Structures are given as structure tokens and as C-alpha cells.
Amino acid sequence: MTIENLIQIYEIKKQKYGEQAYKYISEIFDKAKQIHKEFALQRGLTDTEQSWRAFKGKNLEKLIEYIIVDSVRNLGLEIINGNKLEKSKNLPKNLEIIKRNLCVDYGEFGMHLPDVDMVIFEPKKCKIIAVLSSKVTLRERIAQTGYWKLKLLESALTKHIKVFFITLDEDETLSFARPAKKGRAICEVDTDGCYILSNAHFESSDKVKLFCDFLDDLKKIL
């Protein structure tokens, strides 16, 4: 099972649901899980749950990037995977500038990159517009995302960067605005927006919305 297989399943959904296909990402992963399990059993592996969780988490961000990359580029922007900035050596000059412009200063403990999955930037000026984190559920990353938002706000060089979270919200943490669960509260107060890839009902707000609103909000920033 690879990201290419996921993209193929997504494109089939897109033929049926058009731009609303993002609401069925969980179904796409449900189908992919069965394929993943069959391949694992053929290789003699019996405990497939752990490898599946790792696959799902890693490839959710890749699938989101695939879904938005053309629209981001149509706005004159570019997108890069956060791991590429973190781990790659000998980056092109423009990406080295992006990397330095995103770093958080910990004084005597050095400069460190925030843990983000995607970085959206204006390529000519090497100006970072937004960073995105994506997880299946909020409990995996949302507190960390809120932390990085607060750290970016501390510097005049990074305080303009928007911090967004994209999730399947499979544990339905975002279902209700009041009374808010901890994850919902963090989304509302400590991020610039949280976007849901789901067909399930939830109470929306200025900060918590459907994924289809993401690009509109990105345009407003520009």
C-alpha cells in the first residue's frame, strides 16, 4: 500500500463527489486499511495495527498536500513538506531562507524548526504565509500546534505566520463548541483555524470549519 494507491482511491471518490470528496477521506482510509492488511498477511505478518497507524498518519499529510497543491500554486504560492526542511541538507537557497525564516530562537539552546507538516510560502520573497499540521485526531498534535503558534508570536520575524490544523476528527472532539472539549478549546484560542475532513455534523465557528473553507481563508490572508 502506497500514497499512489491512496490517491487512486481519492480520485475515484472525486469522480463521484467532486470537490466534496474530502468529506470521505476516512472512508478512503478504511478501504486502504483492508488492502494494507491483506498485503501484510501475504507477507506473513499478523500484527498489522501498529504499521497501519504509522502508514495512516504519514500518508494523511501527503494526501492533503496532493489535494491542495494545485490550488495553492494557483494563488502564486508554493508548499513544502516540513520534514524536507528539517532533514534535508544542501537545500536550494530559497528553501534555506524559508527554513531560517521559520526557526524559533531558544537563545543559548539554539534555533529550532517548529514541528509542522506543511509550509506555505510566497516563492519570490521567500515569505512564509502559513504552516499546517494534519492528524487523524486532535489528541495527537493539537496541544503541540497551539504551543508553536505561541512561540511564533514571540518574534517580530514570525508573528505574521498563520498556524492551521487539519484533521479527520475521528474521535469527534470538535463536534460541540459549548461545552468545549480541551482540543476544541485549543483550536479556538491557540490556532488560526482548524479544518475538518469529514461528513459528520459539528458546530462550526470562525475558527473551526470544513476543509473547503481553507483555501478561502488563505486567499483572505493574501
Side-chain angles (χ1 to χ4, degrees):
M1 194 67 194
T2 66
I3 181 59
E4 286 75 20
N5 300 133
L6 282 177
I7 290 172
Q8 290 174 359
I9 301 172
Y10 169 76
E11 288 295 337
I12 292 171
K13 287 288 186 184
K14 192 174 180 181
Q15 291 176 10
K16 183 175 181 179
Y17 297 107
E19 296 303 318
Q20 300 293 308
Y22 71 87
K23 293 182 178 180
Y24 302 92
I25 299 296
S26 287
E27 290 184 12
I28 291 171
F29 277 105
D30 285 344
K31 183 173 182 178
K33 184 177 183 178
Q34 294 301 317
I35 299 172
H36 175 86
K37 183 176 182 179
E38 290 171 5
F39 285 167
L41 291 175
Q42 288 173 7
R43 296 195 303 271
L45 302 176
T46 55
D47 185 7
T48 62
E49 195 61 34
Q50 184 174 352
S51 64
W52 167 250
R53 286 197 298 268
F55 174 89
K56 186 175 183 180
K58 180 177 69 173
N59 287 285
L60 175 61
E61 64 184 73
K62 292 180 180 180
L63 185 58
I64 292 171
E65 184 175 344
Y66 171 80
I67 293 171
I68 66 173
V69 63
D70 289 339
S71 296
V72 168
R73 287 173 176 167
N74 287 339
L75 294 175
L77 305 175
E78 274 295 338
I79 186 169
I80 185 172
N81 188 280
N83 282 331
K84 185 174 182 180
L85 287 180
E86 181 80 55
K87 297 179 180 179
S88 296
K89 298 180 179 180
N90 301 317
L91 288 167
K93 182 179 180 181
N94 67 321
L95 294 184
E96 186 64 37
I97 294 172
I98 292 296
K99 183 175 182 176
R100 289 174 179 249
N101 287 345
L102 184 59
C103 279
V104 173
D105 187 356
Y106 285 87
E108 64 178 294
F109 299 103
M111 304 282 286
H112 298 278
L113 280 173
D115 294 316
V116 297
D117 294 325
M118 288 161 271
V119 180
I120 295 176
F121 62 96
E122 200 283 315
K124 292 183 180 179
K125 298 180 180 179
C126 294
K127 179 182 178 181
I128 301 168
I129 306 299
V131 293
L132 283 65
S133 291
S134 59
K135 289 296 176 182
V136 175
T137 62
L138 273 74
R139 66 175 179 268
E140 296 177 84
R141 177 78 71 88
I142 190 59
Q144 188 182 80
T145 300
Y147 168 80
W148 289 118
K149 173 61 181 179
L150 296 175
K151 296 303 292 184
L152 292 172
L153 283 173
E154 290 180 356
S155 170
L157 297 177
T158 56
K159 66 180 182 180
H160 69 281
I161 299 172
K162 301 297 183 184
V163 177
F164 297 124
F165 193 82
I166 300 175
T167 179
L168 297 175
D169 193 32
E170 289 189 342
D171 57 0
E172 299 184 343
T173 300
L174 298 173
S175 295
F176 300 101
R178 288 179 177 81
K181 292 183 179 180
K182 185 189 299 183
R184 174 81 187 227
I186 294 171
C187 286
E188 297 282 4
V189 177
D190 294 328
T191 76
D192 292 297
C194 179
Y195 303 89
I196 303 176
L197 297 151
S198 175
N199 203 24
H201 173 74
F202 69 97
E203 294 180 7
S204 63
S205 69
D206 290 340
K207 289 284 189 75
V208 178
K209 309 176 183 181
L210 281 171
F211 178 69
C212 60
D213 294 314
F214 168 70
L215 289 170
D216 288 336
D217 288 348
L218 190 60
K219 292 175 185 177
K220 291 175 185 176
I221 297 171
L222 300 179

